[in-house]
Amino acid sequence: MRSITLIVIHSSAVRPYQESGVSEIDRWHKARGWKNGCGFHFVIRRDGTIELGRPLSMEGAHCKYHNRHSIGICYEGGLDMEGRPCDTRTRAQRQAMRHLLGQLHSQFPKALIMGHNVFAPSKVCPGFNAAAEYRTLQPR
Ligand SMILES: [Zn+2]
């Protein structure tokens, strides 16, 4: 297993009527030339379903300079109807994300949980302050 010191939270940057599960993201990322497809390890659908992307043992492709030691989690959404970035997580997505992060925190207690924008300040992704929201699941 890789050494995991970071969990990065993303949105898929789609509007409320757009689908973005692992299969759609897999197509988008292959179109960018990433032969391993979907760069995230988990994708959380609007109904709270957690889809599996890359295996945890495999490096992701979701956060420049930080893929080697991290896990990438993406929730489906992130834009409003007009395409403006915002936190569009449904109640089911919030519950699923907290549950998944709880499990990953037990498995990788030294991993920080951060939003993508911490590492890419020009991006709004994921549209909320992940480090603050999950402060109880941060390493002590
Ligand atoms: Zn992102």
Side-chain angles (χ1 to χ4, degrees):
M1 187 56 201
R2 299 177 294 135
S3 154
I4 300 295
T5 56
L6 177 66
I7 297 170
V8 185
I9 310 296
H10 300 263
S11 80
S12 60
V14 298
R15 298 180 190 209
Y17 52 86
Q18 292 174 306
E19 297 283 309
S20 59
V22 164
S23 63
E24 286 84 8
I25 295 172
D26 197 57
R27 267 192 276 112
W28 302 340
H29 287 180
K30 279 181 174 148
R32 287 197 202 172
W34 303 350
K35 63 175 165 42
N36 290 318
C38 180
F40 304 111
H41 297 93
F42 301 96
V43 175
I44 304 176
R45 305 299 301 267
R46 293 188 181 92
D47 69 358
T49 302
I50 297 172
E51 296 184 347
L52 303 180
R54 295 193 185 188
L56 288 181
S57 56
M58 188 190 290
E59 198 174 303
H62 56 91
C63 189
K64 201 174 182 185
Y65 307 124
H66 297 282
N67 288 311
R68 189 178 300 270
H69 299 286
S70 71
I71 293 170
I73 300 176
C74 177
Y75 77 90
E76 178 179 41
L79 300 180
D80 68 14
M81 288 300 279
E82 283 73 45
R84 290 178 297 236
C86 64
D87 183 0
T88 63
R89 288 174 300 162
T90 63
R91 188 182 164 81
Q93 277 176 314
R94 286 170 191 266
Q95 284 174 346
M97 189 174 281
R98 182 162 286 275
H99 180 74
L100 175 59
L101 286 171
Q103 287 187 327
L104 292 173
H105 178 64
S106 333
Q107 200 177 346
F108 306 105
K110 293 191 166 69
L112 281 166
I113 300 170
M114 304 291 247
H116 188 194
N117 60 335
V118 171
F119 304 102
S122 65
K123 297 182 198 270
V124 186
C125 177
F128 63 96
N129 185 338
E133 181 165 331
Y134 300 111
R135 69 171 66 79
T136 59
L137 298 173
Q138 300 288 3
R140 324 170 171 243

Short mmCIF file of all heavy atoms in Angstrom, two decimals, residues 11-33:
data_model
loop_
_atom_site.label_atom_id
_atom_site.label_comp_id
_atom_site.label_asym_id
_atom_site.label_seq_id
_atom_site.Cartn_x
_atom_site.Cartn_y
_atom_site.Cartn_z
N SER A 11 -15.29 18.47 -6.19
CA SER A 11 -16.60 18.32 -6.83
C SER A 11 -16.33 17.95 -8.29
O SER A 11 -15.22 18.18 -8.79
CB SER A 11 -17.40 19.63 -6.78
OG SER A 11 -16.96 20.51 -7.80
N SER A 12 -17.35 17.41 -8.97
CA SER A 12 -17.15 17.05 -10.37
C SER A 12 -17.42 18.25 -11.28
O SER A 12 -17.30 18.14 -12.50
CB SER A 12 -18.04 15.86 -10.76
OG SER A 12 -19.40 16.19 -10.56
N ALA A 13 -17.82 19.41 -10.68
CA ALA A 13 -18.06 20.65 -11.44
C ALA A 13 -19.09 20.46 -12.54
O ALA A 13 -18.86 20.79 -13.70
CB ALA A 13 -16.74 21.21 -12.00
N VAL A 14 -20.24 19.87 -12.17
CA VAL A 14 -21.35 19.75 -13.12
C VAL A 14 -22.58 20.46 -12.56
O VAL A 14 -22.71 20.67 -11.36
CB VAL A 14 -21.70 18.27 -13.44
CG1 VAL A 14 -20.54 17.57 -14.10
CG2 VAL A 14 -22.19 17.54 -12.20
N ARG A 15 -23.49 20.80 -13.47
CA ARG A 15 -24.75 21.44 -13.09
C ARG A 15 -25.74 20.38 -12.62
O ARG A 15 -25.54 19.20 -12.88
CB ARG A 15 -25.30 22.22 -14.30
CG ARG A 15 -24.35 23.32 -14.72
CD ARG A 15 -24.88 24.09 -15.92
NE ARG A 15 -23.84 24.97 -16.44
CZ ARG A 15 -24.06 26.12 -17.07
NH1 ARG A 15 -25.30 26.54 -17.26
NH2 ARG A 15 -23.06 26.85 -17.50
N PRO A 16 -26.81 20.81 -11.94
CA PRO A 16 -27.72 19.85 -11.30
C PRO A 16 -28.33 18.80 -12.24
O PRO A 16 -28.72 17.74 -11.80
CB PRO A 16 -28.81 20.75 -10.70
CG PRO A 16 -28.10 22.03 -10.43
CD PRO A 16 -27.13 22.20 -11.56
N TYR A 17 -28.43 19.12 -13.53
CA TYR A 17 -29.05 18.16 -14.46
C TYR A 17 -28.01 17.28 -15.15
O TYR A 17 -28.37 16.46 -16.00
CB TYR A 17 -29.88 18.92 -15.50
CG TYR A 17 -29.11 20.03 -16.19
CD1 TYR A 17 -28.33 19.77 -17.31
CD2 TYR A 17 -29.15 21.34 -15.68
CE1 TYR A 17 -27.61 20.79 -17.92
CE2 TYR A 17 -28.43 22.35 -16.28
CZ TYR A 17 -27.66 22.08 -17.40
OH TYR A 17 -26.93 23.07 -17.98
N GLN A 18 -26.72 17.43 -14.81
CA GLN A 18 -25.68 16.65 -15.49
C GLN A 18 -25.23 15.46 -14.65
O GLN A 18 -25.04 15.59 -13.44
CB GLN A 18 -24.48 17.55 -15.80
CG GLN A 18 -24.78 18.62 -16.85
CD GLN A 18 -23.61 19.59 -17.03
OE1 GLN A 18 -23.13 20.17 -16.08
NE2 GLN A 18 -23.19 19.74 -18.27
N GLU A 19 -25.08 14.32 -15.31
CA GLU A 19 -24.64 13.10 -14.66
C GLU A 19 -23.12 13.04 -14.60
O GLU A 19 -22.45 13.40 -15.58
CB GLU A 19 -25.10 11.88 -15.47
CG GLU A 19 -26.59 11.72 -15.59
CD GLU A 19 -27.19 11.16 -14.31
OE1 GLU A 19 -26.70 10.13 -13.82
OE2 GLU A 19 -28.15 11.77 -13.80
N SER A 20 -22.59 12.60 -13.48
CA SER A 20 -21.14 12.41 -13.41
C SER A 20 -20.81 11.35 -12.38
O SER A 20 -20.38 11.63 -11.28
CB SER A 20 -20.43 13.72 -13.08
OG SER A 20 -20.88 14.23 -11.85
N GLY A 21 -21.01 10.11 -12.79
CA GLY A 21 -20.55 8.98 -11.98
C GLY A 21 -19.17 8.56 -12.46
O GLY A 21 -18.56 9.22 -13.32
N VAL A 22 -18.68 7.47 -11.91
CA VAL A 22 -17.35 6.98 -12.32
C VAL A 22 -17.30 6.73 -13.83
O VAL A 22 -16.30 7.04 -14.47
CB VAL A 22 -16.97 5.69 -11.53
CG1 VAL A 22 -15.82 4.96 -12.19
CG2 VAL A 22 -16.60 6.06 -10.09
N SER A 23 -18.40 6.23 -14.42
CA SER A 23 -18.32 5.89 -15.84
C SER A 23 -18.19 7.14 -16.71
O SER A 23 -17.41 7.16 -17.67
CB SER A 23 -19.50 5.03 -16.28
OG SER A 23 -20.70 5.74 -16.13
N GLU A 24 -18.92 8.23 -16.36
CA GLU A 24 -18.78 9.48 -17.12
C GLU A 24 -17.38 10.08 -16.92
O GLU A 24 -16.71 10.48 -17.87
CB GLU A 24 -19.81 10.53 -16.69
CG GLU A 24 -21.23 10.26 -17.16
CD GLU A 24 -21.99 9.30 -16.26
OE1 GLU A 24 -21.47 8.95 -15.18
OE2 GLU A 24 -23.11 8.89 -16.64
N ILE A 25 -16.95 10.14 -15.65
CA ILE A 25 -15.64 10.74 -15.36
C ILE A 25 -14.53 9.92 -16.01
O ILE A 25 -13.54 10.47 -16.50
CB ILE A 25 -15.46 10.86 -13.83
CG1 ILE A 25 -16.50 11.85 -13.27
CG2 ILE A 25 -14.03 11.30 -13.47
CD1 ILE A 25 -16.56 11.91 -11.75
N ASP A 26 -14.71 8.61 -16.04
CA ASP A 26 -13.74 7.74 -16.70
C ASP A 26 -13.59 8.14 -18.18
O ASP A 26 -12.47 8.24 -18.69
CB ASP A 26 -14.24 6.30 -16.58
CG ASP A 26 -13.14 5.31 -16.87
OD1 ASP A 26 -12.11 5.35 -16.19
OD2 ASP A 26 -13.32 4.49 -17.80
N ARG A 27 -14.71 8.42 -18.82
CA ARG A 27 -14.65 8.83 -20.23
C ARG A 27 -13.96 10.18 -20.37
O ARG A 27 -13.11 10.36 -21.24
CB ARG A 27 -16.07 8.90 -20.82
CG ARG A 27 -16.49 7.62 -21.50
CD ARG A 27 -17.76 7.80 -22.33
NE ARG A 27 -18.97 7.67 -21.51
CZ ARG A 27 -19.83 8.66 -21.23
NH1 ARG A 27 -19.63 9.87 -21.74
NH2 ARG A 27 -20.88 8.45 -20.48
N TRP A 28 -14.31 11.15 -19.48
CA TRP A 28 -13.70 12.48 -19.56
C TRP A 28 -12.19 12.38 -19.38
O TRP A 28 -11.43 13.04 -20.09
CB TRP A 28 -14.25 13.42 -18.48
CG TRP A 28 -15.73 13.63 -18.51
CD1 TRP A 28 -16.58 13.41 -19.57
CD2 TRP A 28 -16.54 14.09 -17.43
NE1 TRP A 28 -17.86 13.72 -19.19
CE2 TRP A 28 -17.88 14.14 -17.90
CE3 TRP A 28 -16.28 14.48 -16.10
CZ2 TRP A 28 -18.93 14.55 -17.10
CZ3 TRP A 28 -17.33 14.90 -15.31
CH2 TRP A 28 -18.64 14.93 -15.79
N HIS A 29 -11.78 11.61 -18.39
CA HIS A 29 -10.35 11.56 -18.08
C HIS A 29 -9.58 10.78 -19.14
O HIS A 29 -8.43 11.11 -19.44
CB HIS A 29 -10.13 11.00 -16.67
CG HIS A 29 -10.51 11.98 -15.58
ND1 HIS A 29 -10.40 11.70 -14.24
CD2 HIS A 29 -10.97 13.25 -15.67
CE1 HIS A 29 -10.81 12.77 -13.53
NE2 HIS A 29 -11.17 13.72 -14.38
N LYS A 30 -10.21 9.77 -19.74
CA LYS A 30 -9.55 9.07 -20.85
C LYS A 30 -9.41 10.02 -22.04
O LYS A 30 -8.40 9.99 -22.74
CB LYS A 30 -10.31 7.81 -21.24
CG LYS A 30 -9.99 6.66 -20.30
CD LYS A 30 -10.69 5.37 -20.66
CE LYS A 30 -10.19 4.26 -19.75
NZ LYS A 30 -11.22 3.25 -19.46
N ALA A 31 -10.42 10.88 -22.23
CA ALA A 31 -10.36 11.85 -23.33
C ALA A 31 -9.23 12.85 -23.12
O ALA A 31 -8.72 13.44 -24.08
CB ALA A 31 -11.69 12.58 -23.45
N ARG A 32 -8.83 13.05 -21.84
CA ARG A 32 -7.69 13.93 -21.57
C ARG A 32 -6.36 13.19 -21.78
O ARG A 32 -5.29 13.77 -21.56
CB ARG A 32 -7.70 14.40 -20.12
CG ARG A 32 -8.75 15.41 -19.80
CD ARG A 32 -8.37 16.08 -18.48
NE ARG A 32 -9.53 16.68 -17.85
CZ ARG A 32 -9.52 17.20 -16.62
NH1 ARG A 32 -8.40 17.16 -15.91
NH2 ARG A 32 -10.59 17.73 -16.11
N GLY A 33 -6.46 11.90 -22.07
CA GLY A 33 -5.26 11.13 -22.34
C GLY A 33 -4.74 10.36 -21.13
O GLY A 33 -3.62 9.85 -21.15
#
